[in-house]
Amino acid sequence: MAECSSSHDLSSNDAPINVLNSPNGEISIVQPDRYGFFPGSKHFQSTPDQLRIPVEKTRQREVKWIAMLDLGYETDREVSKEWQKWLAKRRKKVIDRCTKGIPHSLRYKAWCRLCGATERKLKYPDIFDELDADAGDPTWVSIIEKDLHRQFPQHELFMEHGGFGQQDLFSVLKAYSIYRPKEGYCQGQAPVAATLLMHMPAEDAFWCMVCICDKYLKGYYSQGLVAIQLDGDILHDLLQRTLPETYKHFTIHRVEAVLYMLDWFMCLFCRTLPWETVLRIWDRFFIEERTILFRVALALIKYALGTAQQLAAAPGLHEIVQKLRDFPSNSPIMQIDCLFEECSKLRISDKDIARVEQQWIARYAENGRLHGTTISELKKATRRTDKRTELSPDRKSVPSSSETSNSSRWFDGVSPDNSHSGKSDLPETISQYSIKSNSVL
């Protein structure tokens, strides 16, 4: 039987060899899929010809997107005013096209335009180079370096130890830890940054990270994981409205949302779903923001634990969490058409989420705290930045490595200050089921 030599020791300095060695000595090249994943990766997929979008339809969509983005007009100081008009006056059409899927050849430009990264890059043209040249905080640099080989090790961009893919990933993560010294680095940022780098250069990936962390997922990667705990409570409330029997079952067995949604939301599903599905969710995320995350989460819960029979087969907390972690790769819900169809059945809007969010903040205000965080800190950490709001650095000048802060938060509760104690100051439910630093995508 043929053996794939891409099953390699990730701690080795040798780059993996992507060949198949057969018993008779023949060698055949192992080809990655259309997204760069090699066989052996959970994301590797061989798309049958009948499931591929016809070339003619792809070309038609590309023409529409090129016209909408107005890529022919982009100076060194501003993006097209035509694109800005689309966002202001024809936003529903933009949402519709994102829902259908952005052509893969244009995801780089589209994602940057949608999230505002292009504007930030043009406004601060020298920031990334300054940050990249800075040595950074030695503590965060050390942790980042240890995480590099764990991000998509069977993707062609990141397979080589110390290769240009890992170098760019290091640059982006280190730059952000300096750019936002109060946050530093969080391990949940690494797979997000790696996904961006699969589509764009390091500088653009950095500015997309800034927009994601400051506007879309504000507070997700900060001390205490305050914002994602709040969104977990919001998801729990939405579950009560959409799947009341499932909600009762979860309540009886004390299943908190953070036990299963932490990985989903913090990594934008890139560790959970097939890659084509992940990219289509990201297409919608950059225009719909957190709303699509809630819809996808509820659709997955409904598929796994939406019937009385399914609930009976998951009689305890462990079984419930396991059901929501291990979706068979051949499940219909793993395919984008089925998933989006289920999402469309959920009547959840931005206003609904905002209303539930305010209700939860009001509840916390009565107690004065949320999971150890004061209500004033909660409001500050979760105040989402409007797309038109300035996203400048925390400081006008780039801080030196000695000035950066060690206040980041880690999935396993280990920060530089308690890395040797093994203790976590996170709630037990989060630290117990969180993403560990030795996980490999």
Side-chain angles (χ1 to χ4, degrees), residues 50 59-60 95 161 171 193 196 214 246 261 297 318 328 335 347 352-353 361 380 396 401 410 414 421 436:
Q50 63 269 23
R59 293 293 176 262
Q60 291 174 3
I95 293 176
H161 181 84
S171 295
L196 292 169
D214 284 7
T246 304
M261 58 80 71
H318 176 75
Q335 304 307 313
R347 299 293 179 240
D352 294 329
I353 295 172
I361 291 178
K380 181 179 180 180
K396 292 184 179 179
S401 58
W410 308 96
V414 178
S421 67
K436 299 302 181 181

Side-chain angles (χ1 to χ4, degrees), residues 421-437:
S421 67
K423 296 180 180 179
S424 169
D425 57 8
L426 298 179
E428 181 180 356
T429 53
I430 292 184
S431 60
Q432 181 180 1
Y433 286 96
S434 59
I435 307 170
K436 299 302 181 181
S437 63

Side-chain angles (χ1 to χ4, degrees), residues 243-307:
L243 297 168
E245 293 303 317
T246 304
Y247 169 83
K248 291 179 183 178
H249 191 73
F250 281 23
T251 302
I252 291 173
H253 297 288
R254 299 182 179 181
V255 180
E256 298 181 19
V258 290
L259 299 181
Y260 56 86
M261 58 80 71
L262 195 69
D263 193 2
W264 293 354
F265 280 48
M266 190 168 281
C267 299
L268 300 176
F269 292 98
C270 72
R271 295 166 54 98
T272 308
L273 302 175
W275 202 246
E276 174 68 25
T277 304
V278 170
L279 296 181
R280 292 286 298 279
I281 291 173
W282 280 49
D283 290 345
R284 295 182 62 171
F285 170 73
F286 281 115
I287 189 69
E288 298 180 38
E289 303 185 23
R290 290 154 54 240
T291 301
I292 187 59
L293 303 185
F294 285 106
R295 285 178 173 170
V296 170
L298 291 170
L300 293 175
I301 295 172
K302 180 181 178 181
Y303 179 85
L305 295 164
T307 67

Side-chain angles (χ1 to χ4, degrees), residues 78 107 120 123-124 136 138 302-303 323 337 427:
E78 64 177 359
R107 279 199 168 102
R120 303 281 72 76
K123 190 171 183 65
Y124 302 103
K302 180 181 178 181
Y303 179 85
K323 283 278 188 181
D337 291 338

Side-chain angles (χ1 to χ4, degrees), residues 326-397:
D326 299 327
F327 287 90
S329 58
N330 60 351
S331 299
I333 200 66
M334 294 287 97
Q335 304 307 313
I336 192 62
D337 291 338
C338 178
L339 179 60
F340 278 7
E341 181 180 354
E342 292 300 318
C343 288
S344 66
K345 298 176 182 177
L346 299 168
R347 299 293 179 240
I348 301 173
S349 66
D350 296 339
K351 293 182 179 179
D352 294 329
I353 295 172
R355 182 170 58 253
V356 175
E357 181 177 50
Q358 291 306 311
Q359 291 172 353
W360 274 104
I361 291 178
R363 295 177 199 176
Y364 301 145
E366 295 178 0
N367 299 324
R369 303 184 75 82
L370 160 67
H371 305 295
T373 301
T374 65
I375 191 64
S376 60
E377 292 171 338
L378 168 67
K379 290 181 177 179
K380 181 179 180 180
T382 58
R383 187 178 297 116
R384 269 78 187 183
T385 308
D386 184 84
K387 284 185 169 55
R388 294 164 294 182
T389 303
E390 183 67 34
L391 294 180
S392 58
D394 285 342
R395 298 181 56 170
K396 292 184 179 179
S397 60

Side-chain angles (χ1 to χ4, degrees), residues 47 60 74 99-100 103 116 156 181 189 242 270 300 305 373-374 422 427:
T47 307
Q60 291 174 3
E74 185 172 321
T99 300
K100 292 179 180 178
E156 60 182 354
Q189 295 170 321
T242 56
C270 72
L300 293 175
L305 295 164
T373 301
T374 65

